[in-house]
Amino acid sequence: MRYAATRREREEETSLLAARLMMPKPQWYSMYNTGYKNYPCDKCERKFGRKSHFLLHHRTVHENRKDFACDKCQRKFGQKVNLLVHQKITVTRQLDASQQRTWPPPPIAT
């Protein structure tokens, strides 16, 4: 809320804010913003608010499907995003290792 200079302006802003909070929410609002979870897993006790999240859980956890493999180390992942994070971390580690200096420095050849 912005700074209101007079008492009347503050009262008007407060009443407008209260009216806005009393307005009905869209139908989808309650499903995603109130913790409503309509997709329970039948094999464990987890519940999901979105069908896609439930299907991803079922495929990776209960079917043990890992369709994304790293081309460098052959490690497998259930989600592409996890593979991309792994690759980013691995590349960063390799760059850090290749850029490290040894101490003491090698002697200068004359």
Side-chain angles (χ1 to χ4, degrees):
M1 187 175 348
R2 72 175 181 81
Y3 177 74
T6 66
R7 180 178 176 185
R8 182 178 174 146
E9 287 178 346
R10 285 193 301 269
E11 288 173 354
E12 287 176 3
E13 284 193 9
T14 304
S15 64
L16 288 173
L17 181 61
R20 187 174 176 196
L21 292 173
M22 302 276 282
M23 294 174 73
K25 304 286 189 241
Q27 183 178 7
W28 54 263
Y29 181 85
S30 63
M31 183 165 62
Y32 294 110
N33 297 334
T34 61
Y36 183 71
K37 297 184 177 183
N38 197 28
Y39 298 96
C41 181
D42 55 348
K43 297 187 179 186
C44 66
E45 296 181 13
R46 295 210 47 194
K47 296 178 183 178
F48 301 90
R50 294 186 181 185
K51 187 176 182 179
S52 61
H53 294 171
F54 163 69
L55 293 174
L56 180 64
H57 160 78
H58 192 271
R59 183 175 63 237
T60 56
V61 175
H62 299 300
E63 294 178 7
N64 201 23
R65 284 185 48 194
K66 297 185 178 184
D67 299 333
F68 303 96
C70 178
D71 54 352
K72 306 262 191 235
C73 68
Q74 304 307 317
R75 187 171 172 190
K76 295 182 179 182
F77 299 91
Q79 297 182 37
K80 185 175 183 178
V81 67
N82 293 339
L83 170 64
L84 296 175
V85 168
H86 163 75
Q87 289 174 335
K88 185 175 182 178
I89 291 171
T90 304
V91 167
T92 304
R93 283 185 189 158
Q94 289 173 350
L95 286 175
D96 288 345
S98 67
Q99 294 173 354
Q100 286 181 350
R101 296 182 179 172
T102 58
W103 191 260
I108 298 174
T110 57

